[in-house]
Amino acid sequence: MRKKIVAGNWKMNNNLEAGIKLAQEVLEKATGNEEAQIVLGTPFIHLNKLAESIVGKKGIEVAAQNCSDKASGAYTGETSAEMVKSTGVNYVILGHSERREYFNETNQELAAKLDLALTNNLVPIFCCGEPLEIREKEEHYAYVKQQLTESLFHLSANDFAKTVIAYEPIWAIGTGKTATSAQAQEMHAELRNHLADHFGQELADTCPILYGGSCKPSNAQEIFAGADVDGGLIGGASLNADDFLAIVNSF
Ligand code: PEP
């Protein structure tokens, strides 16, 4: 059976104190028997503290929201995959649409980030998804498949087996609009077939594909019911421990 994962993406919210408080609340309220792996995607400033106080407790994991496409060196302000790993966390979110849009991240750069993440034993949560105009032109399947082809298809089978994918239609992120459960399932099935064509059915069948885009306690159960929907990447609702855990418990 595929691993189920619900990952929060705090984005650029919560100072050090507020982030620790939120993570502690999630830890206290989690039962440890959740069907889904809980991952908290936090700003860099929280990683080390949360690695010490949260990671591994009740099975909770913590993710960085980015890492550099360079291994080390004169790149002021950047944080390498090796540095992220050294904080004690095990996951990294890569290629979020906000990073693609505001920081011009390309599929090729993301391929390099994936390599560095995997070399440093971080589990990448690779984000993909189409803007509204692409969906309106009905080119969304080709668009998202190309993101996977250009960023993931160079991976070895071994590395691909460690990778998590998050499909996030950009028009649904932070907008209150969600894809319907049918739209999410259709895209996830399409992506899994695309992965199977390259990596083989067996590996494609083990790859968790998460849905992201205005997921909340009231719609998570319906979205997660899709056979190829293996959990969620949660933005706004991950900033509230009760809402986040209600989503985690939606399976
Ligand atoms: C996200 O940022 O990955 C996201 C899905 O945000 P939201 O849940 O707020 O739409």
Side-chain angles (χ1 to χ4, degrees):
M1 208 174 75
R2 269 193 299 275
K3 189 169 180 177
K4 293 180 172 33
I5 300 172
V6 176
N9 174 16
W10 293 358
K11 312 194 186 195
M12 196 171 72
N13 292 295
N14 290 319
N15 65 18
L16 185 58
E17 192 187 345
I20 291 169
K21 194 164 162 239
L22 174 57
Q24 283 295 347
E25 195 182 342
V26 172
L27 176 62
E28 274 158 31
K29 292 182 173 172
T31 62
N33 291 318
E34 285 79 11
E35 219 178 294
Q37 167 76 64
I38 297 175
V39 183
L40 303 177
T42 79
F44 289 126
I45 60 158
H46 299 101
L47 296 179
N48 187 232
K49 280 266 182 211
L50 297 189
E52 288 167 1
S53 58
I54 301 283
V55 169
K57 296 199 177 136
K58 297 188 182 169
I60 299 176
E61 293 285 346
V62 171
Q65 297 172 12
N66 182 30
C67 70
S68 176
D69 63 334
K70 308 288 192 303
S72 67
Y75 301 103
T76 303
E78 287 289 275
T79 302
S80 70
E82 193 268 334
M83 291 169 178
V84 170
K85 184 68 186 184
S86 75
T87 67
V89 306
N90 300 311
Y91 282 73
V92 62
I93 298 169
L94 292 176
H96 190 279
S97 61
E98 287 151 16
R99 296 215 53 87
R100 291 175 186 264
E101 183 179 351
Y102 305 135
F103 303 98
N104 304 315
E105 290 190 352
T106 63
N107 292 337
Q108 288 68 29
E109 247 170 31
L110 290 167
K113 291 189 182 203
L114 274 152
D115 288 342
L116 286 163
L118 288 158
T119 303
N120 286 286
N121 293 316
L122 290 167
V123 176
I125 301 179
F126 175 76
C127 303
C128 55
E130 80 286 356
L132 186 59
E133 65 271 20
I134 294 291
R135 182 161 280 262
E136 283 172 348
K137 283 196 272 178
E138 297 189 359
E139 291 170 1
H140 44 294
Y141 292 132
Y143 183 93
V144 183
K145 284 189 211 172
Q146 191 176 348
Q147 291 179 319
L148 298 193
T149 304
E150 292 184 2
S151 297
L152 299 185
F153 276 19
H154 68 288
L155 294 179
S156 66
N158 203 26
D159 277 347
F160 172 68
K162 299 174 193 152
T163 300
V164 175
I165 292 172
Y167 167 61
E168 301 201 299
I170 297 173
W171 45 272
I173 296 181
T175 57
K177 260 190 210 174
T178 34
T180 62
S181 48
Q183 282 173 324
Q185 168 55 27
E186 272 161 20
M187 178 62 89
H188 285 220
E190 194 73 29
L191 296 184
R192 199 175 306 285
N193 284 338
H194 186 55
L195 294 169
D197 286 345
H198 183 77
F199 290 107
Q201 193 68 51
E202 204 177 316
L203 268 185
D205 279 343
T206 60
C207 177
I209 306 180
L210 318 183
Y211 168 81
S214 299
C215 236
K216 25 185 197 276
S218 57
N219 60 22
Q221 193 171 14
E222 198 186 333
I223 293 170
F224 294 171
D228 289 284
V229 181
D230 307 309
L233 182 55
I234 318 298
S238 73
L239 297 173
N240 176 289
D242 292 321
D243 286 351
F244 181 61
L245 287 169
I247 295 171
V248 170
N249 288 314
S250 294
F251 286 99

